């Protein structure tokens, strides 16, 4: 089974470099235009599995018009806790934020001290991938789209992507992502192509 894993289009929060995880924000006009531009360059899919958040629904509709969608709640983005909706300028005097960005090597999402831990995100999106594999296999699909979020996709691919890369090696821009062959039994994702996407910031 082949999966086309795509990060949603650009939001206003991306443009302002805000932490937008659980906030249910729409695509910015730039994000809608980007999805319309990228859509014709992606492989056709038989079905789309997506995060429940609005920005993923809009992206899926623009990338693959008319293709049926299934919501998979586990594909939603990281919960950034009290950082939600804020950017560096607004958080720079927050002691918790200062401790985080002052960690060795700089800000480390794997060690986010608030909200949802990286390990919890990996466990959640892994459960989502299992649901996708089971449903798509039962329905006999050969290629499906998966529209999710930057942090969720990084966590998923850091766990299952092959050849292996470190966490940030899987970062993708808005409407970017990867084409992968899925092993349903192991959930390993053998990546065969990268889609560049364009613009935005991986904090979505």
């Amino acid at each position: 089974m082949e999966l086309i894993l795509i990060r949603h289009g650009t939001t206003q929060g991306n443009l302002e470099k805000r932490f937008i995880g659980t906030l249910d924000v729409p695509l910015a006009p730039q994000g809608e235009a980007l999805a319309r531009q990228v859509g014709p360059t992606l492989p056709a899919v038989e079905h789309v599995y997506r995060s429940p958040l609005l920005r993923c629904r809009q992206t899926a509709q623009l990338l693959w018009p008319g293709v049926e969608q299934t919501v998979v709640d586990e594909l939603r983005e990281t919960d950034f806790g009290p950082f939600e909706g804020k950017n560096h300028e607004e958080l720079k005097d927050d002691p918790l934020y200062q401790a985080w960005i002052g960690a060795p090597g700089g800000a480390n999402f794997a060690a986010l001290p608030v909200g949802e831990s990286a390990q919890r995100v990996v466990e959640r999106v892994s459960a989502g991938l299992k649901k996708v594999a089971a449903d798509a296999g039962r329905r006999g699909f050969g290629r499906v789209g998966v529209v999710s979020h930057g942090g969720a996709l990084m966590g998923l691919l850091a766990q299952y992507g092959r050849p292996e890369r470190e966490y940030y090696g899987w970062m993708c821009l808005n409407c970017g992502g990867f084409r992968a062959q899925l092993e349903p039994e192991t959930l390993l994702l053998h990546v065969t192509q990268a889609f560049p996407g364009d613009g935005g910031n991986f904090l979505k």
Side-chain angles (χ1 to χ4, degrees), residues 126-147:
S126 295
L129 182 60
K130 288 179 184 177
K131 284 187 176 182
V132 170
D135 187 72
R138 183 171 59 250
R139 299 167 75 173
F141 295 139
R143 182 191 296 140
V144 300
V146 175
V147 180

Side-chain angles (χ1 to χ4, degrees), residues 46-103:
E46 298 164 83
H47 195 81
V48 177
Y49 297 90
R50 64 167 177 86
S51 156
L53 297 177
L54 174 60
R55 53 197 183 271
C56 290
R57 174 168 64 83
Q58 292 177 312
T59 300
Q61 290 171 337
L62 292 167
L63 292 178
W64 292 292
V67 176
E68 183 183 6
Q69 302 177 18
T70 294
V71 174
V72 180
D73 186 63
E74 290 87 351
L75 296 177
R76 67 189 183 278
E77 181 57 307
T78 304
D79 180 353
F80 292 113
F83 295 169
E84 283 279 345
K86 299 175 182 177
N87 59 21
H88 173 77
E89 187 63 27
E90 295 166 345
L91 289 166
K92 64 183 181 181
D93 296 325
D94 183 323
L96 189 61
Y97 181 74
Q98 289 176 337
W100 180 45
I101 63 174

Side-chain angles (χ1 to χ4, degrees), residues 11-194:
T11 68
Q12 189 61 37
N14 295 148
L15 296 173
E16 297 174 2
K17 299 185 178 180
R18 296 183 181 278
F19 293 93
I20 306 295
T22 59
L23 297 179
D24 201 10
V25 299
L27 295 181
Q30 297 95 319
E32 294 183 10
L34 177 62
R36 290 190 179 96
Q37 174 188 337
V38 169
T41 71
L42 296 178
V45 299
E46 298 164 83
H47 195 81
V48 177
Y49 297 90
R50 64 167 177 86
S51 156
L53 297 177
L54 174 60
R55 53 197 183 271
C56 290
R57 174 168 64 83
Q58 292 177 312
T59 300
Q61 290 171 337
L62 292 167
L63 292 178
W64 292 292
V67 176
E68 183 183 6
Q69 302 177 18
T70 294
V71 174
V72 180
D73 186 63
E74 290 87 351
L75 296 177
R76 67 189 183 278
E77 181 57 307
T78 304
D79 180 353
F80 292 113
F83 295 169
E84 283 279 345
K86 299 175 182 177
N87 59 21
H88 173 77
E89 187 63 27
E90 295 166 345
L91 289 166
K92 64 183 181 181
D93 296 325
D94 183 323
L96 189 61
Y97 181 74
Q98 289 176 337
W100 180 45
I101 63 174
N108 179 3
F109 279 87
L112 188 69
V114 295
E116 194 175 21
S117 71
Q119 182 56 41
R120 174 61 191 131
V121 173
V122 168
E123 292 169 358
R124 172 166 55 74
V125 296
S126 295
L129 182 60
K130 288 179 184 177
K131 284 187 176 182
V132 170
D135 187 72
R138 183 171 59 250
R139 299 167 75 173
F141 295 139
R143 182 191 296 140
V144 300
V146 175
V147 180
S148 187
H149 307 263
L153 289 174
M154 284 193 290
L156 187 67
L157 287 160
Q159 180 79 8
Y160 297 109
R162 299 293 184 274
E164 294 184 50
R165 303 183 189 178
E166 51 86 26
Y167 182 78
Y168 286 108
W170 295 109
M171 184 171 17
C172 47
L173 298 177
N174 294 106
C175 285
F178 301 93
R179 182 177 195 158
Q181 291 286 341
L182 171 69
E183 289 185 12
E185 300 81 12
T186 63
L187 299 183
L188 291 180
L189 294 161
H190 298 277
V191 174
T192 59
Q193 183 179 1

